[in-house]
Amino acid sequence: MPATAAIAAGPTSATGPTPTPGLFSSREEQWYQQSLRLADAHQVSLGAGVIVAVIDGGVDATHPKLRGQLLPGAGIGTDAAVDGLRDDDPDGHGTAMAGIIAGRADVGDPAVWGVAPAAKVLPISTGVRADSDEVARGIRIAVDRGADVISMSLGSVGHATDAEERAVRYALERDVVVVASAGNTEPGDTAVNSPANIPGVIAVTGTDYRGRFWGGSVQGPQSVLAAPGPAIRVPVPTRVSEDGLDTGGGTSNSAAIVAGVAALVRAELPTLDAANVVNRLIRTATDMGPLGRDDQYGFGLVDPVAALTTEIPLVATNPLLATRSPGATAAGDATADSSAGGSAATGSLTAAPDDSVGLAPSKRSAGPSAALWILMLGLATVEGALLGALAHLLFGARYATMRERRRQRKATPVDPSWSPPGHAPAPRPAWPAVNPAWSTATAVRPAPTPVRQAPQTRARQAPAAARPEPAAHIVRPQTPQGRPTMPVRPVHQHPPAIRPRATTPPSAGRPVDTQPWKTPH
């Protein structure tokens, strides 16, 4: 989006300065800027003329991203800068929050720019460390210095002190929107911190790049809105990072984002009081969890474009301060028309326990927006394509080779002489020449050689019928021609002996008991 178009699109307040040309001149976006459609919101408002007080460890006034974006602030305690224009936090926390709210895009990294780049930041420094009393004093000082929105990305465990509660009431009574981070689970927090758990404060939890609840954020019944928290690039002092930029995550980022959105609304709709700004933010939020308010998202994920463009009826009191009464609705749910927002929308605010208010679901509370659904569908499609490509690389070539072999086997009969591709055919075995004398189907066994009978005397000659034929039982090998003959001892082949079977019964020769036996009764 060109800078000139963005500046021309955002209306300027009659009481505020005109936005500087080139203040927002980048087309590059981080993931949270894209998911919240901040570029589209900047066509409506840039936050010009709105003062956002940042109660933190101070802000580095020398950072290029914040040049011309800071007002002289105040310091609380001896370890804080008097004007708040020095970041005393070891991690540069205050500078980072100020950059999320009103960082410039025309210098340095073009993807690091604020939610409300035309707004001004009022730094209220608590020094290196802050306590509850310093936070209460900081809220009062911010109100007295003319802040329209107070952003507190800090907190302490447990209930708020009386001083903090009185300071918050002081700000709400003087038409100031108060935003605070709910807390992080990393330091061990399990519930919404103070001052975010004070009634009337917008307690902000964290979401990830898919719009889901971020696991590093605490949750509780005091949650009001949710906003992106992890992996956000922010400006920090050069003593923290040489390039002046760092990437961090936490509900501190979420609170700063919501404070910037509140500045956009106050700049676009200057006639709205703080109660109606809060009502507009919660009524236009995208309901991401169970229908209605829940412990994780509160009323839903903040939607800057809807908060700037949706027609919302006016209310007389802050919906976060509605008291509990049977069957009662918020008194300010009137339908009076206003130049800041129409009255066609309907729906009432119902009382809820724990100093909170239940909000009747609107048509926009049916679920995530269409743009978010398209983004999630695109991510799922890309993941599926990557998994398919990986599976093809791992198993595709092997599967194709296997199918080709099967196809060839079905198409061509198997030849015994076939050899696999790339291998020489196996040589046929060199069988020896066939000898006709071997036992084959056509071989003929030579006739036995007659055996010469030895001369016998007549006196000892046995009857001819009793003597067997010698030629049938004598085997004599053939004598090769040219070799002398030698006497060979005859080999007699006797038929196998036949064992006679026994004809006597098995009991023959054994004693047999012939005495009669009687069975006793």
Side-chain angles (χ1 to χ4, degrees), residues 149-420:
V149 180
I150 296 177
S151 177
M152 295 180 288
S153 294
L154 46 77
S156 58
V157 180
H159 297 286
T161 63
D162 294 339
E164 288 179 322
E165 292 181 351
R166 290 194 299 268
V168 169
R169 284 199 301 268
Y170 181 82
L172 297 179
E173 291 171 356
R174 284 156 180 77
D175 195 28
V176 179
V177 178
V178 183
V179 184
S181 58
N184 304 323
T185 59
E186 181 179 356
D189 297 347
T190 58
V192 177
N193 290 344
S194 168
N197 55 17
I198 300 176
V201 177
I202 301 178
V204 187
T205 59
T207 57
D208 60 12
Y209 72 97
R210 293 174 293 185
R212 299 178 181 177
F213 183 74
W214 179 50
S217 170
V218 300
Q219 54 182 297
Q222 299 88 0
S223 302
V224 177
L225 287 175
I232 294 180
R233 192 82 168 156
V234 294
V236 293
T238 53
R239 61 177 172 80
V240 178
S241 176
E242 293 182 358
D243 60 351
L245 299 174
D246 194 13
T247 301
T251 55
S252 295
N253 299 338
S254 307
I257 291 173
V258 173
V261 176
L264 296 179
V265 174
R266 301 217 77 168
E268 172 63 14
L269 307 173
T271 60
L272 288 183
D273 57 5
N276 280 279
V277 171
V278 173
N279 180 61
R280 179 171 287 269
L281 291 176
I282 65 177
R283 290 287 296 271
T284 59
T286 303
D287 193 354
M288 300 296 295
L291 190 61
R293 186 175 184 178
D294 60 84
D295 292 352
Q296 291 185 339
Y297 300 92
F299 291 101
L301 178 63
V302 67
D303 189 340
V305 176
L308 291 170
T309 58
T310 305
E311 295 182 353
I312 300 295
L314 299 177
V315 295
T317 59
N318 190 326
L320 302 181
L321 295 175
T323 57
R324 179 177 229 191
S325 60
T329 58
D333 199 11
T335 56
D337 292 336
S338 170
S339 60
S343 59
T346 59
S348 60
L349 300 174
T350 58
D354 297 332
D355 295 327
S356 61
V357 60
L359 191 61
S362 62
K363 293 182 179 179
R364 298 190 68 260
S365 299
S369 62
L372 184 59
W373 277 112
I374 294 175
L375 177 62
M376 296 171 64
L377 181 61
L379 292 175
T381 303
V382 172
E383 291 178 0
L386 293 177
L387 290 176
L390 180 61
H392 178 73
L393 292 176
L394 294 178
F395 306 105
R398 182 176 180 181
Y399 181 71
T401 303
M402 182 178 63
R403 291 198 58 183
E404 181 65 20
R405 289 180 179 177
R406 289 182 178 178
R407 187 186 64 81
Q408 292 179 359
R409 290 175 184 174
K410 292 180 179 180
T412 306
V414 179
D415 186 359
S417 62
W418 178 86
S419 60

Side-chain angles (χ1 to χ4, degrees), residues 12-77:
T12 59
S13 174
T15 59
T18 303
T20 304
L23 189 64
F24 180 75
S25 59
S26 174
R27 294 177 179 268
E28 299 188 24
E29 296 176 314
Q30 299 185 55
W31 71 268
Y32 81 96
Q33 298 162 343
Q34 184 177 8
S35 64
L36 295 179
R37 298 183 296 163
L38 289 179
D40 296 336
H42 287 169
Q43 295 181 1
V44 181
S45 174
L46 291 173
V50 178
I51 299 175
V52 181
V54 176
I55 302 178
D56 211 297
V59 179
D60 183 7
T62 63
H63 201 288
K65 286 288 183 181
L66 298 174
R67 186 184 306 120
Q69 303 297 95
L70 305 178
L71 298 176
I76 303 172

Side-chain angles (χ1 to χ4, degrees), residues 53-60 71-89 94-95 122-131 134-135 137-139 141-142 145 151 154:
V54 176
I55 302 178
D56 211 297
V59 179
D60 183 7
L71 298 176
I76 303 172
T78 58
D79 58 343
V82 178
D83 54 1
L85 298 179
R86 185 186 70 220
D87 195 338
D88 296 317
D89 184 82
T95 304
L122 178 68
I124 306 296
S125 176
T126 59
V128 178
R129 298 184 61 87
D131 55 32
E134 292 180 345
V135 172
R137 290 178 56 191
I139 294 174
I141 294 175
R145 294 289 182 96
S151 177
L154 46 77

Side-chain angles (χ1 to χ4, degrees), residues 420-435:
H423 297 273
R428 294 181 178 273
W431 300 104
V434 179
N435 190 350

